[in-house]
């Protein structure tokens, strides 16, 4: 910042303390807002880059959503283990139109649609239990409109039932209770209702608004009622979305399939079609194929529909938000911007970590000095016994990448092996770098730069390893490999 503002570092630090910023050092990390305030003191007119022009963002919600077309509700099934979540999902999956059209065979893509005789449809998330719901929520994805809480009639309310209730409440998602296994002789429906009520569930029978449907996943009894109840609740909730404009959704799951990188996207707004450009996290796709849960190619996916999408550059993570981009350039700019932000965040974590270590080192030295002055016969010991270190020399195209690469590799390892950066700088690998690496048994990291042939030969002759990458996390992966090679066997 001092450089940009054309100030000498020492004067700059002085000015900062006069402005009331205490304890500033050359290593202090400023937020964008603080840096902007400081710049104004020097007569600059800063703008804080919040990525608005480069990143992709969801469009604002319309002020009156009641005029939008309605979409299918998205339902998650939760409940205690063995209470019948999987059985209910299996029953529902078999009742889906897609399954009936294709001889009852569906592929697991993470969600499926059930079409009702009334013409309405319901989307069920196909992963029962809390884990999927929580993973999505942790990433800020409130994809679920309704939770179906399954309680076995012969077992009543159990710890995971209470957990599920807690999660649904925290997410402000309404529930419908399905009291399952009513075909069993020891089914005690009234007992379950009383127990639920004791746990604060305001069920309909007792004057509340939570619907309770007795069902059997085994015989199918009550299952149509359950579906009808879901539709009724979704009408009350009035779930709607635009089916035009730039599409938005969430990645439900992703994996490499025999036919390519596939990710199931649950569309929340807009309609996805073949050829559309979409961005998810730090990857993008030009949609090559859209497939439904029967593995059949579909031409479009409107709001509330799950589709398996092919055409990804890299596999996106489950829980990642999907946003449509108007064209390939915008998609690439957004992905680059997100990568840059992630790298920057990593490098500031690195600097903070360095500062912490420095402070710890100083404190340890001070303590050692004190101990030595008190007891001059203190044995000298190695600083950190038992730790093997792997040295690295980092070379990258520009200073920013040097910092980012160092930031992501310093401190990797565990209590047995650790990485340290011996030396770093912007520019091509030189002969001196190779020599130094040879002497100090360092590995050279070459980031986003060509390697001259004679350097390559020199390194090979000297037995110096060069990791050559253009993507930070590839560097990280290989550094981790280097470190684990240093670990003693069987650990
Ligand atoms: P989950 O752990 O909640 O997914 O429970 P499952 O669906 O795996 O069911 C646990 C056990 O209960 C299985 O043996 C099912 O066959 C059985 N089960 C599930 N639903 C019913 C039902 O409605 N009636 C009866 N009698 N058994 C059921």
């Amino acid at each position: 910042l001092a450089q940009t503002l054309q100030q000498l570092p020492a004067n700059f630090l002085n000015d900062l303390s006069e402005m009331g910023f205490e304890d500033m050092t050359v290593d202090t990390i400023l937020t964008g807002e603080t840096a902007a305030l400081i710049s104004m003191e020097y007569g600059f007119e800063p703008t804080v880059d919040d990525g608005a022009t480069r990143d992709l963002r969801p469009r604002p919600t319309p002020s009156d959503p009641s005029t939008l077309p309605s979409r299918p509700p998205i339902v998650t099934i939760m409940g205690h283990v063995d209470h019948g979540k999987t059985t209910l999902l299996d029953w529902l999956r078999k009742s889906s139109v897609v399954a009936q059209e294709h001889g009852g065979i569906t592929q697991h893509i993470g969600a499926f649609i059930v079409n009702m005789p009334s013409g309405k449809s319901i989307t069920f998330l196909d992963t029962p239990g809390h884990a999927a719901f929580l993973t999505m929520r942790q990433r800020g994805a409130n994809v679920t409109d309704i939770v179906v809480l399954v309680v076995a009639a012969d077992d009543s309310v159990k710890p995971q039932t209470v957990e599920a209730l807690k999660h649904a409440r925290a997410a402000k998602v309404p529930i419908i209770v399905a009291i399952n296994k009513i075909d069993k002789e020891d089914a005690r429906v009234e007992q379950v209702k009383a127990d639920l009520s004791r746990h604060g569930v305001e069920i309909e029978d007792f004057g509340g608004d939570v619907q309770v449907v007795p069902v059997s996943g085994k015989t199918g009894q009550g299952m149509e009622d359950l579906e009808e109840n879901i539709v009724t609740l979704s009408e009350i909730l009035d779930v709607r979305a635009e089916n035009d404009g730039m599409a938005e959704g969430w990645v439900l799951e992703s994996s490499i399939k025999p036919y390519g990188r596939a990710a199931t996207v649950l569309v929340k707004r807009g309609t996805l079609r073949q050829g559309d450009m979409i961005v998810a996290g730090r990857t993008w796709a030009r949609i090559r194929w859209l497939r439904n849960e029967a593995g059949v190619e579909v031409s479009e996916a409107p709001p509330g529909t799950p589709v398996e999408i092919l055409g990804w550059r890299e596999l996106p993570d489950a829980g990642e938000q999907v946003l449509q981009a108007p064209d390939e350039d915008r998609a690439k700019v957004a992905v680059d911007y997100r990568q840059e932000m992630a790298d920057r965040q990593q490098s500031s974590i690195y600097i903070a970590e360095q500062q912490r270590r420095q402070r710890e080192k100083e404190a340890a030295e001070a303590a050692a000095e004190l101990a030595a002055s008190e007891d001059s016969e203190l044995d000298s010991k190695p600083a950190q016994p038992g730790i093997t270190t792997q040295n690295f020399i980092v070379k990258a195209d520009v200073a920013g990448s040097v910092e980012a690469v160092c930031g992501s590799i310093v401190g990797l390892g565990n209590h047995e092996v650790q990485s340290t950066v011996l030396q770093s700088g912007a520019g091509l690998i030189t002969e001196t770098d190779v020599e130094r690496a040879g002497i100090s048994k360092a590995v050279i990291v070459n980031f986003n730069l060509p390697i001259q042939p004679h350097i390559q030969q020199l390194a090979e002759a000297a037995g110096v390893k060069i990791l050559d990458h253009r993507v930070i996390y590839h560097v990280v992966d290989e550094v981790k490999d280097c470190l684990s090679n240093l670990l003693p066997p069987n650990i």
Side-chain angles (χ1 to χ4, degrees):
L1 185 60
Q3 254 171 30
T4 312
L5 302 176
Q6 290 157 9
Q7 302 296 316
L8 289 171
N11 295 349
F12 183 61
L13 286 175
N14 223 359
D15 290 353
L16 287 181
S17 83
E18 276 174 18
M19 285 177 215
F21 294 100
E22 280 166 23
D23 300 330
M24 290 269 171
T25 70
V26 284
D27 292 332
T28 308
I29 301 160
L30 301 170
T31 63
E33 285 72 18
T34 313
L37 278 176
I38 294 168
S39 316
M40 285 199 267
E41 292 288 325
Y42 291 93
F44 286 81
E45 282 179 32
T47 48
V48 178
D49 176 12
D50 66 349
T53 53
R54 292 194 282 159
D55 203 1
L56 285 173
R57 304 277 162 88
R59 52 189 154 143
T61 30
S63 50
D64 181 14
S66 68
T67 57
L68 304 174
S70 51
R71 63 162 173 84
I74 298 155
V75 179
T76 301
I77 295 193
M78 301 211 271
H80 194 72
V81 64
D82 276 346
H83 279 198
K85 297 179 293 294
T86 313
T87 310
L88 293 192
L89 275 170
D90 285 347
W91 194 94
L92 293 161
R93 200 184 299 109
K94 283 193 200 103
S95 78
S96 78
V97 169
V98 165
Q100 282 160 9
E101 279 171 3
H102 296 88
I105 299 165
T106 54
Q107 329 222 329
H108 175 91
I109 64 164
F112 60 89
I113 295 191
V114 171
N115 288 339
M116 306 286 294
S118 61
K120 305 268 179 186
S121 36
I122 307 171
T123 299
F124 287 95
L125 297 195
D126 205 358
T127 321
H130 315 163
F133 185 77
L134 282 186
T135 316
M136 297 295 281
R137 271 205 74 214
Q138 271 160 7
R139 292 168 184 254
N142 255 338
V143 290
T144 305
D145 300 308
I146 296 168
V147 164
V148 169
L149 180 65
V150 183
V151 190
D154 59 344
D155 204 22
S156 198
V157 176
K158 282 279 158 331
Q160 285 167 294
T161 321
V162 179
E163 274 281 309
L165 270 173
K166 203 176 78 193
H167 296 318
R169 281 185 189 136
K172 297 195 174 63
V173 178
I175 61 165
I176 292 178
V177 178
I179 302 186
N180 189 30
K181 308 197 189 184
I182 52 163
D183 58 291
K184 291 186 86 167
E185 264 179 24
D186 52 351
R188 290 165 294 132
V189 174
E190 292 311 311
Q191 179 67 46
V192 177
K193 287 183 186 170
D195 289 345
L196 283 168
S197 164
R198 248 197 302 284
H199 282 90
V201 184
E202 297 175 353
I203 58 176
E204 252 179 348
D205 299 29
F206 304 155
D209 54 8
V210 175
Q211 304 172 71
V212 178
V213 193
V215 297
S216 165
K218 198 174 170 191
T219 65
Q221 191 187 344
M223 290 302 285
E224 270 107 15
D225 288 344
L226 177 62
E227 292 174 337
E228 290 298 343
N229 277 294
I230 294 171
V231 170
T232 311
L233 180 56
S234 79
E235 277 163 3
I236 296 168
L237 297 174
D238 203 21
V239 290
R240 293 170 183 277
E242 308 84 339
N243 48 21
D244 52 4
M246 288 287 123
E248 293 168 25
W250 299 92
V251 177
L252 291 183
E253 39 182 71
S254 65
S255 60
I256 298 184
K257 299 263 173 89
Y259 41 84
R261 294 189 194 97
T264 300
V265 173
L266 181 60
V267 182
K268 286 295 292 259
R269 300 168 84 185
T271 301
L272 284 178
R273 297 184 179 84
Q274 199 192 355
D276 284 347
M277 294 293 313
I278 49 174
V279 169
R282 280 175 266 160
T283 178
W284 58 274
R286 174 184 295 284
I287 302 178
R288 193 150 52 86
W289 262 1
L290 299 154
R291 291 153 56 115
N292 66 13
E293 62 265 37
V296 172
E297 193 170 343
V298 291
S299 58
E300 57 174 43
T305 344
V307 268
E308 191 174 52
I309 287 183
L310 284 105
W312 296 96
R313 276 304 156 111
E314 314 249 353
L315 210 57
D317 288 331
E320 216 73 89
Q321 185 167 34
V322 176
L323 294 170
Q324 189 183 349
D327 52 50
E328 188 168 322
D329 280 350
R330 282 291 285 122
K332 283 184 182 160
V333 166
V335 167
D336 286 348
Y337 171 78
R338 291 167 177 202
Q339 184 63 48
E340 192 184 315
M341 287 300 117
D343 291 348
R344 232 190 256 180
Q345 196 183 355
Q346 283 223 331
S347 70
S348 51
I349 291 170
Y350 155 70
I351 295 170
E353 177 64 18
Q354 292 289 89
Q355 286 175 350
R356 189 185 63 77
R357 285 194 192 174
Q358 183 63 28
R359 280 196 301 275
E360 276 179 11
K361 199 173 139 214
E362 281 167 11
E365 278 168 7
E369 242 170 62
L370 189 68
S373 66
E374 282 169 2
D375 176 9
S376 56
E377 280 166 38
L378 195 76
D379 288 329
S380 68
K381 286 179 190 158
Q384 289 175 306
I387 294 195
T388 314
T389 50
Q390 171 63 58
N391 296 327
F392 289 90
I393 291 178
V394 174
K395 301 299 295 254
D397 51 346
V398 290
S401 345
V402 175
E403 201 183 324
V405 172
C406 291
S408 37
I409 68 175
V410 163
L412 286 179
N414 57 15
H415 58 286
E416 284 177 292
V417 283
Q418 273 199 352
S419 59
T420 51
V421 174
L422 214 57
Q423 193 191 330
S424 62
L428 295 172
I429 303 178
T430 63
E431 286 170 21
T432 324
D433 292 331
V434 178
E435 270 168 32
R436 209 162 274 172
I439 295 164
S440 56
K441 297 198 173 54
V443 172
I444 301 181
V445 176
N446 186 62
F447 186 77
N448 224 359
L449 280 172
I451 302 174
Q452 293 164 294
H454 75 278
I455 293 288
Q456 190 87 52
Q457 284 161 9
L458 197 66
E460 273 162 30
V464 169
K465 192 168 176 181
I466 301 181
L467 312 182
D468 185 23
H469 291 288
R470 309 182 90 81
V471 180
I472 296 251
Y473 59 86
H474 291 163
V475 178
V476 172
D477 285 349
E478 224 186 324
V479 165
K480 283 184 185 160
D481 284 347
C482 284
L483 294 175
S484 48
N485 288 341
L486 291 176
L487 281 173
N490 301 327
I491 290 181

